[in-house]
Amino acid sequence: MEGLVMRSTGSWYEVFCDDQIYQCRVRGKLKLKGTKVTNPVAVGDLVTFEPEPENDKQGVITDILPRENYIIRKSHHKTSHGHILAANLDQAVCIVTLVFPKTSLGFIDRFLVAAEAFRIPALLVFNKKDLYGTEHLQQYEELKNIYEPLGYPCLLISAREEKELELFHQSLKSKKSLISGHSGVGKSTILNKLYPGLELKTSEVSTFADKGVHTTTFAEMFQLDQNTFVIDTPGIKELGLIDIEKEEISHFFPEMRDRFGECKFYNCQHLHEPGCAIREAVDNDEISVTRYYSYLSMMEDEDNRR
Ligand code: GDP
Ligand code: ZN
């Protein structure tokens, strides 16, 4: 039988097949296959499994179907190993807001770079529209003009407006989506409104101080309807920059990737080198200066990590 891995505890996997959940284990030899990972099977994996003859709610996973993509990060315990957080995602959604609490452009751009690195299409959802003033609405238009031409659709919604929520609902339909965002942006409010049975815990903005300290190692997939699934992750830590070399960062900025080879020096890092096509494009307003700042900040972080 073929099923979808919805949840994992490390040794047991919940596999969804024909509207049923099977508790599955992995056959020993599967663990040795392929790259060095601490978890051989990840949430989002499509697997083949054999139900146990003596217990029809349990099974043994016999194979993993080839992955379309996957999110991996360095294992906490064995640094030479990776930990696969999720596989086969159709899109990565970043929920952000321009107010209360404003999401930084640096956060957004890091998210997008990670999505590029893992080859997952990204969608930006700007929430709390009802709290935006004229200035914020104008700022949204500016951001939309930056991100949409780069291939990142933007949606402006309020969790309090049915019609706007429905727009987001449509973009989730029949897909497996990773949903991310700083705590306080309205992730749980939105998902609970779309799917009342979900009952995700909402947080008050006052607990915003604990952003990013989540330590969940195993992602969890929720079924929203027949073919619609979401994986809720607390943030950029999960979709981290971990294994991107400094020299590669610009490959994950589409506007820089498009200009690959146009700089005077083949190994140009787009910092202070003469004849840099990227800096020229920034000066000519062909590349957004905020995107370029995010690039510089990521390059700096890499320096600090070495
Ligand atoms: P999460 O941490 O991303 O899951 O955020 P929550 O869903 O817990 O929302 C944080 C706070 O923002 C709560 O007090 C929500 O009621 C509020 N909130 C969420 N979405 C909206 C919105 O669109 N408009 C307004 N005004 N408040 C919102
Ligand atoms: Zn350059």
Side-chain angles (χ1 to χ4, degrees):
M1 296 210 285
E2 208 176 292
L4 171 68
V5 178
M6 303 277 289
R7 236 158 250 130
S8 139
T9 61
S11 44
W12 286 92
Y13 300 91
E14 285 188 12
V15 177
F16 179 75
C17 170
D18 292 334
D19 286 329
Q20 267 211 53
I21 295 280
Y22 295 83
Q23 303 290 333
C24 293
R25 279 172 301 171
V26 169
R27 193 169 271 169
K29 68 173 189 209
L30 203 65
K31 290 190 175 174
L32 301 171
K33 220 164 80 177
T35 44
K36 283 186 176 176
V37 290
T38 50
N39 57 329
V41 179
V43 169
D45 267 333
L46 292 168
V47 296
T48 53
F49 69 101
E50 288 166 8
E52 301 273 14
E54 68 272 23
N55 184 334
D56 63 1
K57 289 279 181 298
Q58 292 188 2
V60 177
I61 294 175
T62 49
D63 208 358
I64 306 171
L65 277 67
R67 292 176 177 131
E68 295 275 326
N69 55 37
Y70 58 89
I71 295 176
I72 188 167
R73 70 162 178 212
K74 280 203 180 102
S75 161
H76 290 311
H77 315 290
K78 298 181 181 173
T79 43
S80 64
H81 284 53
H83 180 86
I84 301 178
L85 277 145
N88 301 320
L89 295 167
D90 297 304
Q91 66 182 351
V93 180
C94 190
I95 301 188
V96 306
T97 167
L98 296 179
V99 287
F100 203 62
K102 183 179 165 60
T103 311
S104 76
L105 295 183
F107 179 86
I108 294 176
D109 290 332
R110 272 160 214 269
F111 179 90
L112 295 174
V113 163
E116 288 283 339
F118 294 122
R119 297 191 176 83
I120 305 169
L123 167 69
L124 296 177
V125 176
F126 292 77
N127 187 36
K128 307 201 185 185
K129 181 188 173 194
D130 56 296
L131 300 177
Y132 294 8
T134 325
E135 232 171 82
H136 300 118
L137 291 171
Q138 197 181 332
Q139 199 189 351
Y140 169 73
E141 289 304 322
E142 284 164 16
L143 293 175
K144 185 177 149 107
N145 285 335
I146 293 175
Y147 289 111
E148 290 206 327
L150 298 175
Y152 309 120
C154 297
L155 259 185
L156 177 59
I157 67 164
S158 162
R160 307 200 164 167
E161 287 290 336
E162 296 292 325
K163 260 197 223 141
E164 292 165 5
L165 269 181
E166 188 50 32
L167 288 178
F168 179 46
H169 194 187
Q170 290 306 321
S171 61
L172 293 178
K173 275 248 147 86
S174 301
K175 287 182 176 160
K176 289 197 210 87
S177 306
L178 173 118
I179 303 200
S180 191
H182 271 321
S183 88
V185 296
K187 219 168 31 150
S188 343
T189 306
I190 291 170
L191 290 174
N192 286 333
K193 284 214 172 165
L194 290 179
Y195 299 93
L198 214 55
E199 291 177 6
L200 292 179
K201 222 173 129 253
T202 54
S203 58
E204 285 306 314
V205 168
S206 53
T207 62
F208 184 57
D210 70 3
K211 68 176 180 185
V213 299
H214 293 258
T215 48
T216 14
T217 350
F218 294 101
E220 205 175 341
M221 197 178 252
F222 300 93
Q223 185 184 26
L224 302 186
D225 61 43
Q226 188 63 32
N227 298 309
T228 309
F229 299 90
V230 293
I231 292 178
D232 179 18
T233 63
I236 200 71
K237 284 250 170 77
E238 277 60 35
L239 205 57
L241 271 176
I242 30 135
D243 273 338
I244 302 177
E245 294 293 323
K246 198 173 163 180
E247 296 69 27
E248 284 187 336
I249 295 177
S250 64
H251 300 188
F252 303 120
F253 279 80
E255 64 272 60
M256 297 192 186
R257 190 168 58 211
D258 285 349
R259 290 173 172 80
F260 187 74
E262 289 178 21
C263 299
K264 184 173 171 191
F265 298 107
Y266 80 96
N267 58 352
C268 186
Q269 296 199 335
H270 323 309
L271 302 173
H272 307 290
E273 298 92 334
C276 173
I278 301 303
R279 294 232 327 263
E280 199 179 301
V282 174
D283 288 343
N284 296 336
D285 288 332
E286 290 161 18
I287 287 183
S288 144
V289 69
T290 61
R291 291 275 292 166
Y292 182 62
Y293 284 154
S294 293
Y295 169 75
L296 292 182
S297 153
M298 281 177 227
M299 293 291 277
E300 228 168 77
D301 283 357
E302 284 304 299
D303 281 340
N304 295 338
R305 273 174 9 122
R306 287 172 188 206

